[in-house]
Amino acid sequence: MKSRKSNKLKYDKLDNKDRNFVKAFGEIHPINDIQNENQNVQIVYDEEYEESNLQGNRKKLEAKKNIPQAEKINDEDFSDLVAPYQILLDDLISNELSEPKKRKMVAGEKWKKSKIEVENNNETEENQDQSVEESISEDEIDETIINSYSQEVLCKDNLESEELIKNDPFHIHFENNLDEKLIEKIKSNCSDKKKLDELKQNISWPGLGNLIYTPLTEETKQKLDPNKNIKQLFIKQRILERLNNSVTENISSHLDEEPKEIQDNSEFKLETKQSEILNIISNYCDLYHSDVDVHFDYKIKFVYALHALNHVLKTRSRVIAHNDKLKQNKSNSDLEYRDQGLTRPKVLIVVPYRKFALKLIKIMIRLLMNKKEEYVSNKKRFFDSFGPDEEDVNLKNDENEEKKLFHDEDYDFLFSGNCDDHFKIGLSVSKKSLKLFTEFYSSDIIIVSPLGLKSVIGADGENQDHDFLSSIELLVLDNADVLLMQNWEHVVTVFDNLHLQPKKSHDTDFSRVRSWLLDGHARFYRQTLIFSRIPAPQINSIFNRYCTNFSGKYQIDLLKSSKYQLGTICKIGFQLAQVFNKIDCDSPTNLPEQRFNFFIEKILPKFKDEMMSHTLIFVPTYFDFVKLRNYFKKNDISFMNISEYSDKKSVERARYLFFHGKVHFMLLTERFYFYKRYKIFQLVA
């Protein structure tokens, strides 16, 4: 364009706006330029622009100059004209749209570099958590990532076709809508013990040994192959890749103890017992393992943590894939997918101590991501709350206590590390990230202690909040023998509050909720896994009463196990007379009262003689302990008592008086000995 003659303009005649513009740029705004009639029009265009379009634009511009001033120009002519700045603007926009992925990759690389630099600095870990949360939110919003992942559901995760999806136990179990007749049959069989005994089958597997399989009906009976490897169990491809990579990374500390030929192999392999457990739980059958060794505990946690992650990722994959299909077929109103629950949480894991939750989350982090690619939010807060790790704990800090206590292998396993029994934590799992300390209604996995969950639900008669337990599809009760030493009523409360009708909607899309959830049949689809070191009547009651999975349930047959056929009395190293008394009882409800009367009337009088001094009475429950203590006080019987609520001074005083024979009886609770393991000397009976 021809240069503007701004020097001919009088500065006094300009308004304030133009004066400011002249001061800033040295000339008036281009919109105030006076166009000359003979002024040549210079067209700015892109080199790649088609010459035919340019020639058409030139003709229209030349025709515009010959139009009289009084004649109006049609709107169509203006719409056909391509202004120079519009061409430049379109070109810039097209360039920006062509490189969004490059900018994301560059930003991701910068974030990874900054994360590696900050990883070893503990002071800046909180800022790292915030950046992780921002990156996770961006990934969730990006539709391109969602679409690519939804296509991956059918192509990459061992599911190359719809036929393979139908063979997946996840699809078979949760997308199988049982008819009402079969539901009624399952209900009647669960209440009929004779019918269940007829359906029981004795199975022998190489690793687990003798098993008892109890299908609830003939129609839902399954036949599993114990020789299946991990590739045949429909595990997510991402988890399989991490397992293979973990051979060189040592995903667990116990892998160091495995033979070298397994570690040198590039393919991850489970032990025979682990593989068989994974085979059972991958087919969504219930399992009660009542013979978990201390050394096998970590491997059990590894297996069910893998199964829980696989279940959550499959659920997420299905939902994302179905969301994508619904977006592509908005016009099809008949398209419907039932793939969600009334609330988001799908997995509930109950463990007794924080140290076990720490182990579980460490396993999940390693199964989801590499050390160099960790996307874990609130990681520092988690390790501050659930640490220190048992590896960093020195068990010999107090030498005086060490002399009084009998620390065997069992005690070190249970009480090394963080043994707080009041905790709760929610986990939100995505493809490559893990969020910790999420709200329960925004969580996929919930890890709690019975006391922690009871504090959330609330006591009876209060405003209880149990809606987040309405859609639990996998329940794990780990270290159940330790939970017996806590308040077992809290464990029963967990089962009583499962699958109740929610009090609020919680933004639920009821058109996507599974039909069997709406019908109130969730308990027949829930998978329950119970692991314990010993069998106990309370645990057996939970397994028989609340485990009503239509796929059936497995349990270890200890009666046929070679480990328990000889018994344990013969293993006692010194001579000890053991006398067992049979109590006649009319009904189980009257057993506590009749047992107490039998002890007072027939057993206690035999030990009141002076020759039977130093008699220890070991009481299994605190309720029986209180009842017996009150009886001794009422009848002025010489005794001292020690319970889990006794302070250190009271314990020392009671042990001193009992050792020197100044009291006849000593009352000791089972829970006190479980937690303290004190040595009691000078026992006669």
Side-chain angles (χ1 to χ4, degrees):
M1 296 177 68
K2 195 172 181 179
S3 60
R4 294 183 288 272
K5 299 178 181 180
S6 59
N7 55 351
K8 291 184 179 181
L9 294 174
K10 293 182 178 181
Y11 188 78
D12 298 336
K13 294 183 178 181
L14 297 177
D15 55 8
N16 293 333
K17 186 176 181 181
D18 291 336
R19 288 178 184 176
N20 294 333
F21 198 88
V22 171
K23 289 180 182 179
F25 302 98
E27 58 182 359
I28 65 173
H29 198 278
I31 198 172
N32 296 327
D33 284 354
I34 302 173
Q35 298 289 343
N36 190 359
E37 294 180 358
N38 298 325
Q39 183 178 356
N40 295 326
V41 178
Q42 183 179 0
I43 301 176
V44 182
Y45 61 92
D46 190 0
E47 293 180 356
E48 298 178 357
Y49 200 84
E50 296 182 0
E51 294 182 359
S52 59
N53 293 336
L54 289 174
Q55 292 176 0
N57 291 336
R58 289 194 184 99
K59 290 179 181 180
K60 292 176 181 179
L61 290 171
E62 290 175 357
K64 177 186 175 184
K65 288 193 272 184
N66 298 326
I67 298 174
Q69 294 182 358
E71 185 178 355
K72 293 183 179 181
I73 301 176
N74 296 330
D75 295 337
E76 297 178 358
D77 296 335
F78 278 111
S79 62
D80 294 335
L81 292 176
V82 180
Y85 75 91
Q86 186 65 35
I87 297 173
L88 291 173
L89 184 61
D90 293 341
D91 183 61
L92 290 173
I93 293 173
S94 62
N95 290 335
E96 289 179 358
L97 292 176
S98 63
E99 298 181 353
K101 294 182 180 178
K102 292 182 180 179
R103 292 198 302 273
K104 287 181 182 178
M105 293 175 64
V106 171
E109 292 175 359
K110 290 181 179 178
W111 185 88
K112 288 180 183 177
K113 290 179 181 179
S114 63
K115 180 180 180 296
I116 294 172
E117 293 175 358
V118 181
E119 189 173 10
N120 296 327
N121 190 354
N122 295 330
E123 295 179 357
T124 57
E125 283 194 3
E126 294 181 357
N127 297 330
Q128 178 183 346
D129 293 338
Q130 294 178 359
S131 61
V132 169
E133 292 177 355
E134 293 176 358
S135 64
I136 293 170
S137 61
E138 290 177 359
D139 291 341
E140 292 176 352
I141 295 173
D142 190 357
E143 293 184 358
T144 58
I145 296 177
I146 293 176
N147 293 334
S148 62
Y149 185 62
S150 62
Q151 295 175 0
E152 189 183 53
V153 174
L154 301 178
C155 300
K156 190 176 179 181
D157 299 340
N158 291 340
L159 305 173
E160 297 179 354
S161 64
E162 293 290 343
E163 295 180 358
L164 289 178
I165 294 178
K166 294 179 180 179
N167 295 326
D168 186 358
F170 177 87
H171 176 90
I172 295 173
H173 187 81
F174 291 102
E175 297 186 15
N176 181 15
N177 293 322
L178 303 176
D179 56 13
E180 290 296 332
K181 292 183 179 179
L182 190 58
I183 291 292
E184 292 298 328
K185 190 174 183 180
I186 292 174
K187 290 180 180 179
S188 62
N189 290 346
C190 288
S191 58
D192 189 355
K193 186 178 179 181
K194 293 183 179 179
K195 184 63 177 179
L196 290 179
D197 292 338
E198 294 176 359
L199 294 171
K200 284 183 180 179
Q201 298 178 358
N202 294 321
I203 303 173
S204 180
W205 282 14
L208 292 174
N210 296 298
L211 299 171
I212 299 175
Y213 171 55
T214 308
L216 298 187
T217 60
E218 290 287 346
E219 294 82 356
T220 58
K221 185 184 296 185
Q222 294 186 6
K223 187 176 182 181
L224 303 182
D225 182 11
N227 298 319
K228 281 187 177 181
N229 56 33
I230 192 171
K231 291 184 178 180
Q232 298 173 316
L233 298 177
F234 293 87
I235 305 298
K236 293 278 289 185
Q237 183 66 24
R238 176 170 179 77
I239 297 179
L240 290 177
E241 292 174 357
R242 285 293 303 123
L243 288 175
N244 293 331
N245 295 335
S246 68
V247 177
T248 56
E249 294 177 4
N250 282 338
I251 195 170
S252 66
S253 59
H254 293 268
L255 292 179
D256 296 334
E257 303 172 0
E258 294 185 359
K260 290 185 177 180
E261 61 264 21
I262 296 180
Q263 290 188 358
D264 295 338
N265 192 1
S266 60
E267 184 177 348
F268 181 84
K269 293 183 180 179
L270 294 171
E271 294 182 4
T272 304
K273 201 170 183 180
Q274 282 181 298
S275 180
E276 292 176 356
I277 292 175
L278 185 60
N279 191 351
I280 293 174
I281 64 181
S282 294
N283 286 274
Y284 289 95
C285 297
D286 292 348
L287 175 63
Y288 173 30
H289 196 308
S290 58
D291 188 22
V292 179
D293 188 67
V294 171
H295 300 287
F296 197 67
D297 180 81
Y298 185 92
K299 299 175 183 179
I300 289 282
K301 287 178 171 60
F302 180 84
V303 171
Y304 75 71
L306 186 152
H307 175 59
L309 283 179
N310 187 53
H311 177 78
V312 170
L313 291 176
K314 280 185 178 181
T315 303
R316 181 177 181 272
S317 300
R318 294 291 195 273
V319 172
I320 293 176
H322 293 162
N323 289 342
D324 189 32
K325 289 182 179 180
L326 290 173
K327 288 180 181 179
Q328 296 175 0
N329 300 279
K330 291 183 179 180
S331 59
N332 188 1
S333 59
D334 297 333
L335 190 62
E336 185 182 62
Y337 293 106
R338 298 281 183 174
D339 52 7
Q340 298 181 15
L342 295 170
T343 52
R344 180 172 175 176
K346 295 291 180 290
V347 179
L348 177 65
I349 301 176
V350 182
V351 291
Y353 300 134
R354 286 180 182 260
K355 55 176 286 184
F356 295 130
L358 179 66
K359 285 183 179 181
L360 284 172
I361 296 179
K362 278 186 174 181
I363 294 172
M364 292 180 182
I365 292 174
R366 288 291 157 258
L367 286 172
L368 282 175
M369 58 200 79
N370 299 322
K371 289 184 178 180
K372 297 180 180 179
E373 299 178 353
E374 284 189 3
Y375 295 89
V376 183
S377 64
N378 296 319
K379 183 178 178 182
K380 183 178 183 301
R381 176 189 170 190
F382 169 71
F383 282 103
D384 290 342
S385 301
F386 287 77
D389 196 354
E390 63 180 350
E391 297 175 358
D392 303 329
V393 175
N394 188 0
L395 298 177
K396 298 181 180 180
N397 291 333
D398 192 349
E399 296 180 358
N400 295 327
E401 277 300 306
E402 194 70 24
K403 293 178 181 178
K404 299 176 183 178
L405 300 176
F406 178 67
H407 281 177
D408 56 1
E409 189 178 33
D410 167 73
Y411 186 89
D412 293 339
F413 164 74
L414 291 176
F415 301 108
S416 59
N418 194 336
C419 296
D420 182 20
D421 61 350
H422 188 187
F423 66 91
K424 51 190 178 297
I425 183 172
L427 283 70
S428 176
V429 182
S430 61
K431 186 181 177 183
K432 294 183 179 180
S433 63
L434 181 66
K435 292 182 181 180
L436 305 177
F437 292 101
T438 55
E439 295 182 358
F440 280 0
Y441 291 100
S442 302
S443 304
D444 299 302
I445 301 175
I446 298 175
I447 303 178
V448 295
S449 65
L451 180 60
L453 190 60
K454 177 68 175 180
S455 64
V456 176
I457 295 175
D460 296 338
E462 298 179 358
N463 293 327
Q464 294 184 334
D465 183 15
H466 50 68
D467 292 356
F468 59 90
L469 300 175
S470 61
S471 301
I472 295 296
E473 297 172 352
L474 172 60
L475 172 61
V476 181
L477 197 67
D478 196 9
N479 301 105
D481 56 301
V482 183
L483 298 177
L484 283 172
M485 295 295 103
Q486 298 176 1
N487 195 337
W488 186 253
E489 292 297 324
H490 295 337
V491 178
V492 178
T493 302
V494 174
F495 284 89
D496 289 337
N497 286 274
L498 288 172
H499 310 304
L500 299 180
Q501 184 176 354
K503 298 179 181 178
K504 298 179 181 179
S505 62
H506 301 286
D507 299 329
T508 303
D509 184 4
F510 290 95
S511 62
R512 300 284 296 273
V513 178
R514 300 183 188 275
S515 301
W516 45 266
L517 270 171
L518 298 175
D519 295 336
H521 299 155
R523 64 190 182 100
F524 301 112
Y525 289 81
R526 186 194 71 242
Q527 182 185 25
T528 306
L529 308 177
I530 303 176
F531 301 100
S532 173
R533 291 179 300 150
I534 58 171
Q538 296 91 330
I539 305 175
N540 294 337
S541 175
I542 290 289
F543 184 70
N544 295 328
R545 179 181 176 186
Y546 293 100
C547 296
T548 56
N549 187 355
F550 77 88
S551 295
K553 48 189 178 182
Y554 287 82
Q555 66 181 113
I556 306 296
D557 190 1
L558 295 179
L559 296 177
K560 295 183 180 180
S561 175
S562 58
K563 180 179 178 180
Y564 294 98
Q565 281 184 350
L566 297 176
T568 56
I569 295 179
C570 59
K571 297 180 181 179
I572 298 176
F574 54 90
Q575 296 295 327
L576 181 66
Q578 297 192 34
V579 180
F580 296 90
N581 294 276
K582 184 178 179 181
I583 302 173
D584 295 331
C585 182
D586 300 333
S587 64
T589 56
N590 299 329
L591 179 60
E593 187 65 28
Q594 294 186 6
R595 183 175 62 240
F596 176 77
N597 294 331
F598 183 87
F599 177 80
I600 296 301
E601 296 173 0
K602 296 187 177 181
I603 296 179
L604 187 61
K606 299 178 182 178
F607 294 92
K608 287 184 178 181
D609 189 84
E610 293 183 358
M611 298 295 296
M612 298 301 294
S613 181
H614 293 91
T615 299
L616 175 70
I617 301 176
F618 192 77
V619 188
T621 64
Y622 187 75
F623 300 104
D624 292 337
F625 167 79
V626 172
K627 197 171 185 178
L628 197 59
R629 182 191 62 187
N630 295 339
Y631 176 82
F632 276 37
K633 286 182 178 180
K634 185 178 180 180
N635 293 273
D636 296 329
I637 300 176
S638 175
F639 80 103
M640 292 299 295
N641 64 86
I642 300 177
S643 69
E644 58 270 24
Y645 300 107
S646 301
D647 55 14
K648 189 174 181 179
K649 290 184 179 180
S650 300
V651 173
E652 294 293 338
R653 182 172 178 270
R655 293 178 70 236
Y656 175 82
L657 294 176
F658 183 74
F659 178 79
H660 291 282
K662 296 183 178 181
V663 292
H664 192 92
F665 292 100
M666 167 77 82
L667 300 182
L668 184 71
T669 62
E670 181 182 6
R671 191 176 295 176
F672 171 82
Y673 183 77
F674 176 81
Y675 285 108
K676 299 298 182 182
R677 310 291 173 96
Y678 275 93
K679 294 180 180 179
I680 308 297
F681 298 99
Q682 297 292 334
L683 292 180
V684 175

